[in-house]
Amino acid sequence: MSSITTALLNESIAIERLSGSESLDDRGNIVTAWSSSSSNVQARVIHTKESTEDEDGNLEANLLRLRVMVPATTDVDVKDRVTYDSKKWNVKGVKTVKDRFGSTFYKQIIMDSGY
């Protein structure tokens, strides 16, 4: 089985998974608990930047979006979040990239800066 070379994966990310259920704090805000799923995952981070426009007030907000390549064996889901560069990122999609033989070559995570 072929896999992406680790020479390309020159950065590190941590994957966190939602653990348990949500609860309310003293002010009635929803509190979610996260636990570390995988730490020090080798990755290749590709920066992209998008802008979105609010239709009501014509305000322009910058939404940072990243594409991350990780090894095929990495356990990641759209319900997870990623810690990269000391920031939390929302996972928006996970794509499995296959080689010409049909084996999983690597996974690509699409994530954004959130709210």
Side-chain angles (χ1 to χ4, degrees), residues 60-88:
E60 192 172 305
N62 289 329
L63 177 68
L64 299 177
R65 183 160 285 184
L66 300 178
R67 288 186 301 145
V68 180
M69 296 166 44
V70 293
T73 57
T74 305
D75 182 22
V76 63
D77 192 83
V78 293
K79 297 175 188 171
D80 299 337
R81 72 179 182 187
V82 172
T83 301
Y84 168 69
D85 198 25
S86 301
K87 295 178 187 162
K88 306 291 186 191

